[in-house]
Amino acid sequence: MKVNGVPFYRQSFGKAEIAEVTDTIKSGWVTTGKKAKLLESEIADYLDARHTVAVNSCTAAMHLLLCASGIGPGDEVITTPYTFASTSECILYTGARPVYCDINYETLNIEPDEAAKKITSKTKALLPVHIAGLPVHLDGFVRLAREHKIKFFDDAAHALGAEYKGKMVGTIGDGSAFSFYATKNLTAGEGGMVATRHTKLAEKVRLLSLHAMSKGAWKRYTKGGSWRYDLLDLGYKYNLSDLAASLGLAQFNRFEEFQLRRARAARRYTAYLKTIEEIKLPVVEEQSVHAWHLYMIRLRPRMLKINRDQFIDELNAKNIGTSVHFIPLFLQSHYRKHLNLNRKDFPNADKAFGEVITLPFFPDLKQEEIDYVCGVIGSICKKYKR
Ligand SMILES: Cc1ncc(COP(=O)(O)O)c(C=O)c1O
């Protein structure tokens, strides 16, 4: 196979996905119904989670976890600036204030010790992110939450399939939020899921996810249903459609195979790249299983004559798709202006941001494609070695 370039992402959709989505279309029921329920129960079984609620994004899942826990104006939630917009947006939607910790420079995750320093009488929850699929140090966060009688939620957008000390991420804190966005380990096109062990919290999340209606459409329009409903609270339009859930179900049938292929691709990248001294590899930790959502390398800037942005330009010139996870929130206009964030307060996140490159990474990535990417990285490093 002659490789001339590698895209950042390529989907693994086939006949099974087309058949499952077609089945939903032919059934005539495309909004939330039995397929969304089935996806919930399959993921609950996989995680061994007591409750799961399907929603239309991870952003929605996190917002609902916070709202359903009564978090609102005057409250604080401790989180990371090194993430996508969603993690902070969901806090701000509730009227609470995000309080940011700097990250661990090596893992890119926030640490329980740093979070502990930010706790005040207003703190109501902790909300770390498992960056790239590497679990945060969950036992420390759980302990901290217990000590201070606050909630521990996790943004598990990257972490379906990850494990920490033998337990699945999604079963450890008070509630976890997963993403089924187009490029996530499991996709439904768009979608998300709440997993929680708390029955009352799950019921509230479910209620708020569909306008807080006493009965959803499935209960109103299927056999024996009645048109009458009551609005029990201020709800949201966050339900997952059966159309999306059917794509998710077909993909979930192949999920464990996808995870094995992601892990295999990560091993091949690592085996090749560890021979290039200008590159630092992603951190893996003994106590956890990495979900391998992303494969992020780091440049050693002192060993190169070009910076990260120029390195990406060189990769692009060889038709290699890349991304950068993440542009920290203290570099984003809205957050700088309205939350008064200053990059000087986050030296680790600031430094790491200048070094990271996310490489092409997906289950169907071919060995030859990995070798091509690594070969190009090797030649760039050679050319621009300091
Ligand atoms: C860390 C993190 N959290 C949350 C999200 C949001 O997921 P969704 O698009 O399903 O709302 C993303 C999406 O990319 C993410 O990377």
Side-chain angles (χ1 to χ4, degrees), residues 33-269:
K34 58 186 181 184
K35 298 253 174 139
K37 266 258 155 291
L38 187 57
L39 187 61
E40 285 176 355
S41 65
E42 290 201 356
I43 291 187
D45 285 350
Y46 170 71
L47 296 174
D48 200 15
R50 208 171 287 161
H51 305 284
T52 48
V53 183
V55 289
N56 58 14
S57 71
C58 176
T59 313
M62 292 190 285
H63 184 200
L64 289 173
L65 278 170
L66 298 176
C67 290
S69 306
I71 289 168
D75 296 336
E76 293 176 354
V77 178
I78 297 175
T79 189
T80 174
Y82 200 86
T83 181
F84 190 55
S86 310
T87 327
S88 279
E89 282 170 339
C90 68
I91 300 168
L92 292 165
Y93 295 159
T94 67
R97 191 169 79 88
V99 174
Y100 298 99
C101 293
D102 197 8
I103 55 169
N104 174 326
Y105 172 68
E106 299 299 332
T107 64
L108 308 174
N109 285 334
I110 59 169
E111 294 290 351
D113 290 354
E114 279 304 305
K117 293 182 198 158
K118 307 281 175 180
I119 291 189
T120 70
S121 59
K122 293 179 180 169
T123 310
K124 290 290 161 14
L126 309 169
L127 182 59
V129 180
H130 312 286
I131 296 289
L134 175 73
V136 298
H137 297 138
L138 279 150
D139 45 8
F141 280 108
V142 168
R143 217 175 304 124
L144 190 61
R146 216 173 274 150
E147 248 170 55
H148 292 271
K149 296 192 171 47
I150 57 177
K151 301 282 180 200
F152 170 61
F153 300 127
D154 49 344
D155 176 340
H158 298 185
L160 186 63
E163 294 175 35
Y164 185 78
K165 296 193 175 170
K167 287 191 199 149
M168 298 300 290
V169 167
T171 61
I172 297 169
D174 292 300
S176 303
F178 293 101
S179 172
F180 307 147
Y181 174 70
T183 58
K184 292 296 190 285
N185 291 37
L186 175 69
T187 185
E190 296 281 358
M193 196 162 286
V194 167
T196 175
R197 72 173 94 171
H198 303 300
T199 306
K200 286 228 159 73
L201 182 63
E203 283 167 358
K204 187 94 192 257
V205 163
R206 188 177 298 287
L207 182 72
L208 296 181
S209 73
L210 188 61
H211 306 297
M213 288 166 87
S214 54
K215 265 182 269 168
W218 183 253
K219 289 221 173 114
R220 281 179 290 122
Y221 297 120
T222 46
K223 209 161 160 239
S226 144
W227 55 269
R228 194 177 285 282
Y229 61 85
D230 189 19
L231 299 174
L232 300 169
D233 205 329
L234 174 64
Y236 301 90
K237 175 63 182 171
Y238 283 165
N239 56 308
L240 184 73
S241 75
D242 268 18
L243 203 53
S246 49
L247 178 57
L249 281 168
Q251 289 270 287
F252 192 59
N253 267 335
R254 301 159 69 197
F255 182 71
E256 296 201 52
E257 169 62 24
F258 286 167
Q259 287 300 95
L260 289 176
R261 287 204 238 156
R262 283 177 179 274
R264 202 181 305 145
R267 282 198 299 274
R268 194 169 181 98
Y269 263 132

